[in-house]
Amino acid sequence: MSHYDPNTDTDLLHRIEDGLDSIRPYLIADGGEVRVHRITQDMVVEIELLGTCGSCPMSTMTMKAGIEQALRHAVPQISGVEAV
């Protein structure tokens, strides 16, 4: 019996990328970027903060107030966002 793998759901991945695209210009303006690492079975989106975002002291706030909110708006079924 096969189980659902959110990492192969192209519609889900597209909607996540659309959500990230809504915040990417702000990250890029500050020298940063974000990339989806994977999606867990319980619908947590694991992301990598790249560039200056990876070492920025505000990255936790950016993740919770910016990235997570943008993704929850675009993909309501996700349960959370975590940096890896």
Side-chain angles (χ1 to χ4, degrees):
M1 183 168 108
S2 66
H3 66 285
Y4 173 70
D5 182 357
N7 295 286
T8 61
D9 184 336
T10 55
D11 179 60
L12 175 67
L13 294 170
H14 181 72
R15 289 184 294 134
I16 288 171
E17 286 298 329
D18 284 349
L20 291 175
D21 284 347
S22 72
I23 197 163
R24 271 194 175 103
Y26 305 104
L27 300 174
I28 292 168
D30 286 336
E33 177 60 286
V34 62
R35 176 175 54 210
V36 175
H37 176 70
R38 75 180 187 111
I39 306 157
T40 67
Q41 286 295 316
D42 55 349
M43 297 302 286
V44 173
V45 180
E46 294 181 349
I47 60 167
E48 294 178 72
L49 295 170
L50 307 169
T52 57
C53 287
S55 60
C56 176
M58 298 295 287
S59 64
T60 300
M61 189 167 83
T62 298
M63 229 213 9
K64 290 296 177 186
I67 296 170
E68 185 166 351
Q69 292 303 313
L71 286 180
R72 285 184 181 272
H73 179 74
V75 189
Q77 71 262 42
I78 68 165
S79 60
V81 177
E82 294 179 2
V84 293

